Amino acid sequence: MSLNSSWEFAREILTKHFAGIRHPLFFGNTLSADDQTNLRGKPRPYLLAAIDLLTKMQGKTIVEVGCMRQPLRHSLEEFNPVCCNDGHSTVFWARTGLAVHTVDINPGCCNVTAEACRSYPNVRISCGDGVKFLRNFNGTIDLLYLDAWEAVETIPYAEKHLEAFQAAREKLAPSAIVLIDDTDVAFGGKGRLAIPAIIRDGFELLLIGRQTMLMRLSQH
Ligand SMILES: C[S@@+](CC[C@H](N)C(=O)[O-])C[C@H]1O[C@@H](n2cnc3c(N)ncnc32)[C@H](O)[C@@H]1O
């Protein structure tokens, strides 16, 4: 296997989804409502790229921490920067037909997700804490999507996303993807502590921007 094996594997797919895209990093800057809507990168190309990569890897199971809080009132092909800033991630995963396990601590968000995914029997929604859910998860994870604790000062979001990764790490398949949202703010945001730990587990960094994508490919 070559040194940049994940990149070689992913290059064509990432080029397809990210050609021409510019996503800024905000570091410690406060985002205005206008920045949030019109300047900030959006999850969509990361979600689509992750799905194409997962298909190429023949992955079977997606686990998401932090499901939808924003109802989906349009087709997934439409993009509205006001409505699509969170990402509607669970419906993107649902459309793959793969096994999707999503967890959220807020019953209201679980209800929004249940409504959006009502025609997808492959989606299982759990209401509870993401770390506890991952500790109890009994299966192999091919794609882990971390998008829960808000990147605001009152919440230890970087620590909690690291804890979530640590709870999941033994359950990740030898070839797997980890995708983290909100890494373009607050000096790495939700991924600030998790990303180095994920890299130490043999994952390669594929993308940094609104989201960070890491991939590990098994040698077998
Ligand atoms: C930014 S939203 C997720 C957006 C979603 N992934 C999407 O694309 O639409 C973050 C979610 O994480 C949930 N959350 C916060 N703390 C959590 C925890 N301890 N365990 C599970 N979910 C949590 C919130 O209730 C919220 O719905």
PDB file of all heavy atoms in Angstrom, residues 88-123:
ATOM      1  N   HIS A  88     -29.274  18.442   7.050  1.00  0.00           N
ATOM      2  CA  HIS A  88     -30.273  17.386   6.812  1.00  0.00           C
ATOM      3  C   HIS A  88     -29.581  16.024   6.696  1.00  0.00           C
ATOM      4  O   HIS A  88     -29.969  15.167   5.896  1.00  0.00           O
ATOM      5  CB  HIS A  88     -31.072  17.631   5.525  1.00  0.00           C
ATOM      6  CG  HIS A  88     -31.665  19.000   5.398  1.00  0.00           C
ATOM      7  ND1 HIS A  88     -32.511  19.542   6.345  1.00  0.00           N
ATOM      8  CD2 HIS A  88     -31.540  19.957   4.435  1.00  0.00           C
ATOM      9  CE1 HIS A  88     -32.885  20.756   5.966  1.00  0.00           C
ATOM     10  NE2 HIS A  88     -32.297  21.039   4.816  1.00  0.00           N
ATOM     11  N   SER A  89     -28.541  15.842   7.465  1.00  0.00           N
ATOM     12  CA  SER A  89     -27.665  14.683   7.277  1.00  0.00           C
ATOM     13  C   SER A  89     -28.392  13.341   7.296  1.00  0.00           C
ATOM     14  O   SER A  89     -28.106  12.474   6.466  1.00  0.00           O
ATOM     15  CB  SER A  89     -26.577  14.685   8.353  1.00  0.00           C
ATOM     16  OG  SER A  89     -27.153  14.735   9.644  1.00  0.00           O
ATOM     17  N   THR A  90     -29.323  13.174   8.235  1.00  0.00           N
ATOM     18  CA  THR A  90     -29.915  11.830   8.395  1.00  0.00           C
ATOM     19  C   THR A  90     -30.634  11.379   7.123  1.00  0.00           C
ATOM     20  O   THR A  90     -30.593  10.196   6.774  1.00  0.00           O
ATOM     21  CB  THR A  90     -30.867  11.786   9.614  1.00  0.00           C
ATOM     22  OG1 THR A  90     -30.308  12.566  10.672  1.00  0.00           O
ATOM     23  CG2 THR A  90     -31.049  10.366  10.101  1.00  0.00           C
ATOM     24  N   VAL A  91     -31.254  12.330   6.427  1.00  0.00           N
ATOM     25  CA  VAL A  91     -31.950  11.935   5.190  1.00  0.00           C
ATOM     26  C   VAL A  91     -30.946  11.553   4.096  1.00  0.00           C
ATOM     27  O   VAL A  91     -31.187  10.627   3.317  1.00  0.00           O
ATOM     28  CB  VAL A  91     -32.923  13.035   4.706  1.00  0.00           C
ATOM     29  CG1 VAL A  91     -33.683  12.572   3.471  1.00  0.00           C
ATOM     30  CG2 VAL A  91     -33.910  13.399   5.788  1.00  0.00           C
ATOM     31  N   PHE A  92     -29.819  12.254   4.074  1.00  0.00           N
ATOM     32  CA  PHE A  92     -28.768  11.846   3.114  1.00  0.00           C
ATOM     33  C   PHE A  92     -28.330  10.408   3.397  1.00  0.00           C
ATOM     34  O   PHE A  92     -28.221   9.586   2.489  1.00  0.00           O
ATOM     35  CB  PHE A  92     -27.560  12.784   3.195  1.00  0.00           C
ATOM     36  CG  PHE A  92     -27.723  14.053   2.409  1.00  0.00           C
ATOM     37  CD1 PHE A  92     -28.227  15.193   3.011  1.00  0.00           C
ATOM     38  CD2 PHE A  92     -27.373  14.107   1.072  1.00  0.00           C
ATOM     39  CE1 PHE A  92     -28.372  16.374   2.290  1.00  0.00           C
ATOM     40  CE2 PHE A  92     -27.511  15.277   0.337  1.00  0.00           C
ATOM     41  CZ  PHE A  92     -28.017  16.418   0.950  1.00  0.00           C
ATOM     42  N   TRP A  93     -28.096  10.106   4.668  1.00  0.00           N
ATOM     43  CA  TRP A  93     -27.676   8.733   5.012  1.00  0.00           C
ATOM     44  C   TRP A  93     -28.796   7.748   4.680  1.00  0.00           C
ATOM     45  O   TRP A  93     -28.544   6.662   4.162  1.00  0.00           O
ATOM     46  CB  TRP A  93     -27.330   8.612   6.500  1.00  0.00           C
ATOM     47  CG  TRP A  93     -26.356   9.589   7.060  1.00  0.00           C
ATOM     48  CD1 TRP A  93     -26.449  10.218   8.276  1.00  0.00           C
ATOM     49  CD2 TRP A  93     -25.116  10.050   6.480  1.00  0.00           C
ATOM     50  NE1 TRP A  93     -25.367  11.048   8.476  1.00  0.00           N
ATOM     51  CE2 TRP A  93     -24.539  10.960   7.400  1.00  0.00           C
ATOM     52  CE3 TRP A  93     -24.456   9.807   5.288  1.00  0.00           C
ATOM     53  CZ2 TRP A  93     -23.317  11.615   7.154  1.00  0.00           C
ATOM     54  CZ3 TRP A  93     -23.247  10.454   5.029  1.00  0.00           C
ATOM     55  CH2 TRP A  93     -22.692  11.332   5.946  1.00  0.00           C
ATOM     56  N   ALA A  94     -30.035   8.156   4.994  1.00  0.00           N
ATOM     57  CA  ALA A  94     -31.182   7.267   4.781  1.00  0.00           C
ATOM     58  C   ALA A  94     -31.278   6.832   3.322  1.00  0.00           C
ATOM     59  O   ALA A  94     -31.525   5.658   3.020  1.00  0.00           O
ATOM     60  CB  ALA A  94     -32.469   7.984   5.203  1.00  0.00           C
ATOM     61  N   ARG A  95     -31.051   7.777   2.434  1.00  0.00           N
ATOM     62  CA  ARG A  95     -31.192   7.504   0.993  1.00  0.00           C
ATOM     63  C   ARG A  95     -30.249   6.424   0.484  1.00  0.00           C
ATOM     64  O   ARG A  95     -30.450   5.875  -0.592  1.00  0.00           O
ATOM     65  CB  ARG A  95     -30.918   8.780   0.190  1.00  0.00           C
ATOM     66  CG  ARG A  95     -32.064   9.724   0.069  1.00  0.00           C
ATOM     67  CD  ARG A  95     -31.943  10.586  -1.152  1.00  0.00           C
ATOM     68  NE  ARG A  95     -30.613  11.193  -1.322  1.00  0.00           N
ATOM     69  CZ  ARG A  95     -30.321  12.107  -2.229  1.00  0.00           C
ATOM     70  NH1 ARG A  95     -31.239  12.531  -3.067  1.00  0.00           N
ATOM     71  NH2 ARG A  95     -29.104  12.607  -2.328  1.00  0.00           N
ATOM     72  N   THR A  96     -29.186   6.132   1.227  1.00  0.00           N
ATOM     73  CA  THR A  96     -28.239   5.111   0.770  1.00  0.00           C
ATOM     74  C   THR A  96     -28.852   3.715   0.837  1.00  0.00           C
ATOM     75  O   THR A  96     -28.370   2.790   0.193  1.00  0.00           O
ATOM     76  CB  THR A  96     -26.965   5.089   1.657  1.00  0.00           C
ATOM     77  OG1 THR A  96     -27.351   4.730   2.995  1.00  0.00           O
ATOM     78  CG2 THR A  96     -26.246   6.420   1.653  1.00  0.00           C
ATOM     79  N   GLY A  97     -29.878   3.556   1.701  1.00  0.00           N
ATOM     80  CA  GLY A  97     -30.468   2.226   1.904  1.00  0.00           C
ATOM     81  C   GLY A  97     -29.648   1.373   2.863  1.00  0.00           C
ATOM     82  O   GLY A  97     -30.038   0.259   3.205  1.00  0.00           O
ATOM     83  N   LEU A  98     -28.520   1.895   3.333  1.00  0.00           N
ATOM     84  CA  LEU A  98     -27.677   1.146   4.284  1.00  0.00           C
ATOM     85  C   LEU A  98     -28.296   1.229   5.679  1.00  0.00           C
ATOM     86  O   LEU A  98     -29.222   2.012   5.917  1.00  0.00           O
ATOM     87  CB  LEU A  98     -26.263   1.736   4.307  1.00  0.00           C
ATOM     88  CG  LEU A  98     -25.509   1.713   2.979  1.00  0.00           C
ATOM     89  CD1 LEU A  98     -24.196   2.484   3.102  1.00  0.00           C
ATOM     90  CD2 LEU A  98     -25.239   0.279   2.524  1.00  0.00           C
ATOM     91  N   ALA A  99     -27.766   0.440   6.600  1.00  0.00           N
ATOM     92  CA  ALA A  99     -28.251   0.520   7.986  1.00  0.00           C
ATOM     93  C   ALA A  99     -27.775   1.842   8.581  1.00  0.00           C
ATOM     94  O   ALA A  99     -26.576   2.127   8.601  1.00  0.00           O
ATOM     95  CB  ALA A  99     -27.694  -0.652   8.783  1.00  0.00           C
ATOM     96  N   VAL A 100     -28.720   2.644   9.044  1.00  0.00           N
ATOM     97  CA  VAL A 100     -28.395   3.950   9.635  1.00  0.00           C
ATOM     98  C   VAL A 100     -28.865   3.950  11.088  1.00  0.00           C
ATOM     99  O   VAL A 100     -30.040   3.712  11.369  1.00  0.00           O
ATOM    100  CB  VAL A 100     -29.086   5.104   8.867  1.00  0.00           C
ATOM    101  CG1 VAL A 100     -28.778   6.451   9.525  1.00  0.00           C
ATOM    102  CG2 VAL A 100     -28.677   5.111   7.400  1.00  0.00           C
ATOM    103  N   HIS A 101     -27.930   4.216  11.989  1.00  0.00           N
ATOM    104  CA  HIS A 101     -28.262   4.342  13.415  1.00  0.00           C
ATOM    105  C   HIS A 101     -27.951   5.772  13.801  1.00  0.00           C
ATOM    106  O   HIS A 101     -26.797   6.209  13.668  1.00  0.00           O
ATOM    107  CB  HIS A 101     -27.414   3.400  14.272  1.00  0.00           C
ATOM    108  CG  HIS A 101     -27.598   1.966  13.908  1.00  0.00           C
ATOM    109  ND1 HIS A 101     -28.455   1.129  14.587  1.00  0.00           N
ATOM    110  CD2 HIS A 101     -27.049   1.223  12.915  1.00  0.00           C
ATOM    111  CE1 HIS A 101     -28.421  -0.066  14.030  1.00  0.00           C
ATOM    112  NE2 HIS A 101     -27.574  -0.046  13.015  1.00  0.00           N
ATOM    113  N   THR A 102     -28.967   6.500  14.276  1.00  0.00           N
ATOM    114  CA  THR A 102     -28.710   7.882  14.671  1.00  0.00           C
ATOM    115  C   THR A 102     -29.222   8.106  16.082  1.00  0.00           C
ATOM    116  O   THR A 102     -30.204   7.489  16.499  1.00  0.00           O
ATOM    117  CB  THR A 102     -29.332   8.880  13.663  1.00  0.00           C
ATOM    118  OG1 THR A 102     -28.961  10.207  14.033  1.00  0.00           O
ATOM    119  CG2 THR A 102     -30.839   8.766  13.588  1.00  0.00           C
ATOM    120  N   VAL A 103     -28.520   8.967  16.817  1.00  0.00           N
ATOM    121  CA  VAL A 103     -28.888   9.213  18.218  1.00  0.00           C
ATOM    122  C   VAL A 103     -28.910  10.716  18.466  1.00  0.00           C
ATOM    123  O   VAL A 103     -28.086  11.455  17.923  1.00  0.00           O
ATOM    124  CB  VAL A 103     -27.894   8.502  19.172  1.00  0.00           C
ATOM    125  CG1 VAL A 103     -26.459   8.938  18.946  1.00  0.00           C
ATOM    126  CG2 VAL A 103     -28.284   8.730  20.640  1.00  0.00           C
ATOM    127  N   ASP A 104     -29.885  11.136  19.282  1.00  0.00           N
ATOM    128  CA  ASP A 104     -29.936  12.548  19.684  1.00  0.00           C
ATOM    129  C   ASP A 104     -30.506  12.627  21.093  1.00  0.00           C
ATOM    130  O   ASP A 104     -31.380  11.851  21.471  1.00  0.00           O
ATOM    131  CB  ASP A 104     -30.809  13.358  18.725  1.00  0.00           C
ATOM    132  CG  ASP A 104     -30.475  14.847  18.766  1.00  0.00           C
ATOM    133  OD1 ASP A 104     -30.764  15.496  19.802  1.00  0.00           O
ATOM    134  OD2 ASP A 104     -29.918  15.351  17.774  1.00  0.00           O
ATOM    135  N   ILE A 105     -29.987  13.566  21.858  1.00  0.00           N
ATOM    136  CA  ILE A 105     -30.415  13.692  23.250  1.00  0.00           C
ATOM    137  C   ILE A 105     -31.742  14.437  23.375  1.00  0.00           C
ATOM    138  O   ILE A 105     -32.422  14.337  24.400  1.00  0.00           O
ATOM    139  CB  ILE A 105     -29.320  14.387  24.086  1.00  0.00           C
ATOM    140  CG1 ILE A 105     -29.513  14.075  25.566  1.00  0.00           C
ATOM    141  CG2 ILE A 105     -29.260  15.886  23.820  1.00  0.00           C
ATOM    142  CD1 ILE A 105     -28.238  14.087  26.349  1.00  0.00           C
ATOM    143  N   ASN A 106     -32.121  15.141  22.321  1.00  0.00           N
ATOM    144  CA  ASN A 106     -33.316  15.983  22.370  1.00  0.00           C
ATOM    145  C   ASN A 106     -34.489  15.254  21.695  1.00  0.00           C
ATOM    146  O   ASN A 106     -34.460  15.015  20.491  1.00  0.00           O
ATOM    147  CB  ASN A 106     -32.996  17.298  21.645  1.00  0.00           C
ATOM    148  CG  ASN A 106     -34.139  18.274  21.683  1.00  0.00           C
ATOM    149  OD1 ASN A 106     -35.303  17.891  21.721  1.00  0.00           O
ATOM    150  ND2 ASN A 106     -33.802  19.549  21.655  1.00  0.00           N
ATOM    151  N   PRO A 107     -35.547  14.924  22.478  1.00  0.00           N
ATOM    152  CA  PRO A 107     -36.677  14.186  21.877  1.00  0.00           C
ATOM    153  C   PRO A 107     -37.307  14.937  20.707  1.00  0.00           C
ATOM    154  O   PRO A 107     -37.780  14.316  19.760  1.00  0.00           O
ATOM    155  CB  PRO A 107     -37.671  14.052  23.034  1.00  0.00           C
ATOM    156  CG  PRO A 107     -36.863  14.258  24.279  1.00  0.00           C
ATOM    157  CD  PRO A 107     -35.726  15.166  23.912  1.00  0.00           C
ATOM    158  N   GLY A 108     -37.280  16.290  20.758  1.00  0.00           N
ATOM    159  CA  GLY A 108     -37.845  17.073  19.652  1.00  0.00           C
ATOM    160  C   GLY A 108     -37.081  16.805  18.354  1.00  0.00           C
ATOM    161  O   GLY A 108     -37.681  16.657  17.287  1.00  0.00           O
ATOM    162  N   CYS A 109     -35.764  16.708  18.457  1.00  0.00           N
ATOM    163  CA  CYS A 109     -34.947  16.440  17.257  1.00  0.00           C
ATOM    164  C   CYS A 109     -35.185  15.005  16.762  1.00  0.00           C
ATOM    165  O   CYS A 109     -35.209  14.756  15.552  1.00  0.00           O
ATOM    166  CB  CYS A 109     -33.468  16.661  17.566  1.00  0.00           C
ATOM    167  SG  CYS A 109     -33.125  18.351  18.074  1.00  0.00           S
ATOM    168  N   CYS A 110     -35.350  14.085  17.710  1.00  0.00           N
ATOM    169  CA  CYS A 110     -35.653  12.698  17.303  1.00  0.00           C
ATOM    170  C   CYS A 110     -36.973  12.669  16.531  1.00  0.00           C
ATOM    171  O   CYS A 110     -37.093  11.959  15.525  1.00  0.00           O
ATOM    172  CB  CYS A 110     -35.742  11.791  18.537  1.00  0.00           C
ATOM    173  SG  CYS A 110     -34.160  11.641  19.393  1.00  0.00           S
ATOM    174  N   ASN A 111     -37.936  13.486  16.970  1.00  0.00           N
ATOM    175  CA  ASN A 111     -39.236  13.525  16.272  1.00  0.00           C
ATOM    176  C   ASN A 111     -39.100  14.142  14.883  1.00  0.00           C
ATOM    177  O   ASN A 111     -39.687  13.645  13.914  1.00  0.00           O
ATOM    178  CB  ASN A 111     -40.260  14.327  17.088  1.00  0.00           C
ATOM    179  CG  ASN A 111     -40.686  13.557  18.320  1.00  0.00           C
ATOM    180  OD1 ASN A 111     -40.519  12.335  18.397  1.00  0.00           O
ATOM    181  ND2 ASN A 111     -41.194  14.274  19.314  1.00  0.00           N
ATOM    182  N   VAL A 112     -38.317  15.220  14.788  1.00  0.00           N
ATOM    183  CA  VAL A 112     -38.100  15.855  13.475  1.00  0.00           C
ATOM    184  C   VAL A 112     -37.464  14.832  12.525  1.00  0.00           C
ATOM    185  O   VAL A 112     -37.859  14.692  11.360  1.00  0.00           O
ATOM    186  CB  VAL A 112     -37.180  17.094  13.626  1.00  0.00           C
ATOM    187  CG1 VAL A 112     -36.647  17.563  12.278  1.00  0.00           C
ATOM    188  CG2 VAL A 112     -37.919  18.225  14.336  1.00  0.00           C
ATOM    189  N   THR A 113     -36.501  14.093  13.043  1.00  0.00           N
ATOM    190  CA  THR A 113     -35.793  13.107  12.207  1.00  0.00           C
ATOM    191  C   THR A 113     -36.726  11.955  11.822  1.00  0.00           C
ATOM    192  O   THR A 113     -36.715  11.497  10.674  1.00  0.00           O
ATOM    193  CB  THR A 113     -34.552  12.587  12.954  1.00  0.00           C
ATOM    194  OG1 THR A 113     -33.758  13.711  13.341  1.00  0.00           O
ATOM    195  CG2 THR A 113     -33.709  11.680  12.084  1.00  0.00           C
ATOM    196  N   ALA A 114     -37.541  11.536  12.793  1.00  0.00           N
ATOM    197  CA  ALA A 114     -38.473  10.430  12.502  1.00  0.00           C
ATOM    198  C   ALA A 114     -39.432  10.840  11.385  1.00  0.00           C
ATOM    199  O   ALA A 114     -39.716  10.052  10.469  1.00  0.00           O
ATOM    200  CB  ALA A 114     -39.239  10.057  13.769  1.00  0.00           C
ATOM    201  N   GLU A 115     -39.882  12.073  11.426  1.00  0.00           N
ATOM    202  CA  GLU A 115     -40.805  12.566  10.393  1.00  0.00           C
ATOM    203  C   GLU A 115     -40.090  12.612   9.029  1.00  0.00           C
ATOM    204  O   GLU A 115     -40.620  12.147   8.029  1.00  0.00           O
ATOM    205  CB  GLU A 115     -41.298  13.969  10.826  1.00  0.00           C
ATOM    206  CG  GLU A 115     -42.065  14.746   9.783  1.00  0.00           C
ATOM    207  CD  GLU A 115     -43.371  14.067   9.387  1.00  0.00           C
ATOM    208  OE1 GLU A 115     -43.837  13.194  10.147  1.00  0.00           O
ATOM    209  OE2 GLU A 115     -43.890  14.384   8.284  1.00  0.00           O
ATOM    210  N   ALA A 116     -38.872  13.138   9.028  1.00  0.00           N
ATOM    211  CA  ALA A 116     -38.128  13.275   7.763  1.00  0.00           C
ATOM    212  C   ALA A 116     -37.762  11.909   7.183  1.00  0.00           C
ATOM    213  O   ALA A 116     -37.601  11.773   5.969  1.00  0.00           O
ATOM    214  CB  ALA A 116     -36.870  14.108   7.992  1.00  0.00           C
ATOM    215  N   CYS A 117     -37.617  10.908   8.044  1.00  0.00           N
ATOM    216  CA  CYS A 117     -37.152   9.585   7.587  1.00  0.00           C
ATOM    217  C   CYS A 117     -38.261   8.546   7.583  1.00  0.00           C
ATOM    218  O   CYS A 117     -37.977   7.344   7.552  1.00  0.00           O
ATOM    219  CB  CYS A 117     -35.991   9.111   8.470  1.00  0.00           C
ATOM    220  SG  CYS A 117     -34.525  10.145   8.351  1.00  0.00           S
ATOM    221  N   ARG A 118     -39.506   9.009   7.611  1.00  0.00           N
ATOM    222  CA  ARG A 118     -40.592   8.042   7.794  1.00  0.00           C
ATOM    223  C   ARG A 118     -40.681   7.017   6.668  1.00  0.00           C
ATOM    224  O   ARG A 118     -41.173   5.920   6.867  1.00  0.00           O
ATOM    225  CB  ARG A 118     -41.934   8.744   8.032  1.00  0.00           C
ATOM    226  CG  ARG A 118     -42.462   9.533   6.872  1.00  0.00           C
ATOM    227  CD  ARG A 118     -43.759  10.259   7.268  1.00  0.00           C
ATOM    228  NE  ARG A 118     -44.346  10.924   6.135  1.00  0.00           N
ATOM    229  CZ  ARG A 118     -43.870  12.057   5.609  1.00  0.00           C
ATOM    230  NH1 ARG A 118     -42.803  12.639   6.137  1.00  0.00           N
ATOM    231  NH2 ARG A 118     -44.440  12.588   4.548  1.00  0.00           N
ATOM    232  N   SER A 119     -40.167   7.366   5.476  1.00  0.00           N
ATOM    233  CA  SER A 119     -40.243   6.375   4.389  1.00  0.00           C
ATOM    234  C   SER A 119     -38.949   5.558   4.253  1.00  0.00           C
ATOM    235  O   SER A 119     -38.737   4.903   3.234  1.00  0.00           O
ATOM    236  CB  SER A 119     -40.576   7.077   3.071  1.00  0.00           C
ATOM    237  OG  SER A 119     -39.649   8.094   2.842  1.00  0.00           O
ATOM    238  N   TYR A 120     -38.117   5.595   5.294  1.00  0.00           N
ATOM    239  CA  TYR A 120     -36.849   4.847   5.239  1.00  0.00           C
ATOM    240  C   TYR A 120     -36.762   3.852   6.401  1.00  0.00           C
ATOM    241  O   TYR A 120     -36.295   4.207   7.495  1.00  0.00           O
ATOM    242  CB  TYR A 120     -35.653   5.805   5.295  1.00  0.00           C
ATOM    243  CG  TYR A 120     -35.564   6.731   4.107  1.00  0.00           C
ATOM    244  CD1 TYR A 120     -36.007   8.050   4.197  1.00  0.00           C
ATOM    245  CD2 TYR A 120     -35.057   6.284   2.893  1.00  0.00           C
ATOM    246  CE1 TYR A 120     -35.921   8.901   3.109  1.00  0.00           C
ATOM    247  CE2 TYR A 120     -34.976   7.135   1.800  1.00  0.00           C
ATOM    248  CZ  TYR A 120     -35.407   8.432   1.913  1.00  0.00           C
ATOM    249  OH  TYR A 120     -35.327   9.280   0.828  1.00  0.00           O
ATOM    250  N   PRO A 121     -37.165   2.617   6.159  1.00  0.00           N
ATOM    251  CA  PRO A 121     -37.131   1.628   7.254  1.00  0.00           C
ATOM    252  C   PRO A 121     -35.711   1.257   7.685  1.00  0.00           C
ATOM    253  O   PRO A 121     -35.529   0.601   8.714  1.00  0.00           O
ATOM    254  CB  PRO A 121     -37.862   0.413   6.650  1.00  0.00           C
ATOM    255  CG  PRO A 121     -37.818   0.612   5.179  1.00  0.00           C
ATOM    256  CD  PRO A 121     -37.721   2.077   4.919  1.00  0.00           C
ATOM    257  N   ASN A 122     -34.731   1.671   6.911  1.00  0.00           N
ATOM    258  CA  ASN A 122     -33.324   1.365   7.261  1.00  0.00           C
ATOM    259  C   ASN A 122     -32.774   2.298   8.339  1.00  0.00           C
ATOM    260  O   ASN A 122     -31.627   2.135   8.771  1.00  0.00           O
ATOM    261  CB  ASN A 122     -32.433   1.452   6.012  1.00  0.00           C
ATOM    262  CG  ASN A 122     -32.561   2.774   5.266  1.00  0.00           C
ATOM    263  OD1 ASN A 122     -33.669   3.273   5.060  1.00  0.00           O
ATOM    264  ND2 ASN A 122     -31.454   3.353   4.866  1.00  0.00           N
ATOM    265  N   VAL A 123     -33.576   3.289   8.780  1.00  0.00           N
ATOM    266  CA  VAL A 123     -33.089   4.258   9.776  1.00  0.00           C
ATOM    267  C   VAL A 123     -33.626   3.909  11.163  1.00  0.00           C
ATOM    268  O   VAL A 123     -34.838   3.772  11.345  1.00  0.00           O
ATOM    269  CB  VAL A 123     -33.519   5.693   9.407  1.00  0.00           C
ATOM    270  CG1 VAL A 123     -33.063   6.694  10.477  1.00  0.00           C
ATOM    271  CG2 VAL A 123     -32.944   6.085   8.051  1.00  0.00           C
TER     272      VAL A 123
END
